[in-house]
Amino acid sequence: MPYDVTRDLTAGPLALPGVRGSVGAVYSKHRTDRPGYGAAVELPAVLELFTSVEAGQITAAQAQAAFAPFLDRLEEFDQEMDRHQTRFDYS
């Protein structure tokens, strides 16, 4: 069951407070093996990161690293769901 998450993101000198997203979402089967699969982040924050990269204020690596709080929460969510599934595994 997906749920909303709010995290402050930092990319170099750029701070984005209160970025909204969700974890546990279901998406197409195209990037299931990619980091972040199952998480969503508000588009305005993503566009602000792109704009900051384009303006030379931050690097692409800093922009990518800014999503760590969502990736960390997604990993915690996946572990929670694994534990939840184990409780109901009667095989």
Side-chain angles (χ1 to χ4, degrees):
M1 169 177 35
Y3 60 91
D4 290 337
V5 177
T6 301
R7 294 289 185 265
D8 295 339
L9 301 185
T10 303
L14 179 67
L16 299 172
V19 176
R20 297 286 308 229
S22 65
V23 295
V26 178
Y27 298 107
S28 74
K29 303 291 183 211
H30 292 287
R31 285 161 291 282
T32 59
D33 61 333
R34 304 293 297 177
Y37 182 82
V41 178
E42 64 173 87
L43 187 56
V46 173
L47 293 175
E48 189 168 346
L49 288 169
F50 284 156
T51 299
S52 295
V53 169
E54 184 177 50
Q57 297 168 334
I58 62 172
T59 66
Q62 288 172 317
Q64 185 175 357
F67 294 109
F70 282 97
L71 293 172
D72 293 346
R73 185 62 197 109
L74 181 59
E75 184 177 330
E76 292 169 10
F77 175 84
D78 288 343
Q79 291 170 1
E80 289 169 13
M81 291 301 103
D82 288 346
R83 285 191 300 273
H84 179 73
Q85 181 63 34
T86 301
R87 289 190 341 212
F88 296 101
D89 187 5
Y90 300 109
S91 53

